[in-house]
Amino acid sequence: MAEINDKSKKPNGVIMQNRKTLTVSGVNDVDNFDNESITAYTDYGVLTIKGKGLHMSSLSTDIGELNIEGEISSLNYSEADLKRGGFFSGLFK
């Protein structure tokens, strides 16, 4: 796996409270979102959030922050195609 220079990466953080609210920093884009799954792209991998009744309460790709509310059951990072644009990147070209 080719590593990206850490100095060029946006800092990535995840804060979850009581499995009901989630704040993710370092988000570049969001794709495939519904009430059971949200996919967020970061410089450190693709983060998939799964649960029930999920909704994005806010998303700012300018500052790289995503806020989610709902019943969160899992967080999973993967090394999928990080350069691929998501739904919002295609919408705002």
Side-chain angles (χ1 to χ4, degrees):
M1 167 178 66
E3 288 191 32
I4 300 172
N5 182 352
D6 278 346
K7 293 180 182 179
S8 66
K9 291 182 179 182
K10 284 185 191 176
N12 180 229
V14 176
I15 301 171
M16 183 168 37
Q17 296 179 339
N18 302 324
R19 293 181 62 181
K20 299 289 181 196
T21 62
L22 180 70
T23 301
V24 183
S25 61
V27 174
N28 298 322
D29 203 357
V30 171
D31 193 19
N32 299 330
F33 55 93
D34 59 33
N35 64 350
E36 294 184 350
S37 178
I38 299 172
T39 303
Y41 293 89
T42 75
D43 288 342
Y44 290 88
V46 178
L47 175 62
T48 302
I49 301 108
K50 293 193 178 188
K52 295 180 183 175
L54 299 179
H55 71 84
M56 293 187 295
S57 55
S58 67
L59 168 65
S60 174
T61 54
D62 291 338
I63 63 170
E65 187 169 287
L66 170 64
N67 293 297
I68 298 171
E69 295 176 353
E71 186 179 323
I72 300 160
S73 60
S74 72
L75 305 173
N76 182 47
Y77 274 95
S78 64
E79 296 299 325
D81 187 4
L82 298 177
K83 297 183 190 270
R84 183 179 153 259
F87 174 77
F88 287 112
S89 67
L91 187 64
F92 297 114
K93 280 189 178 180

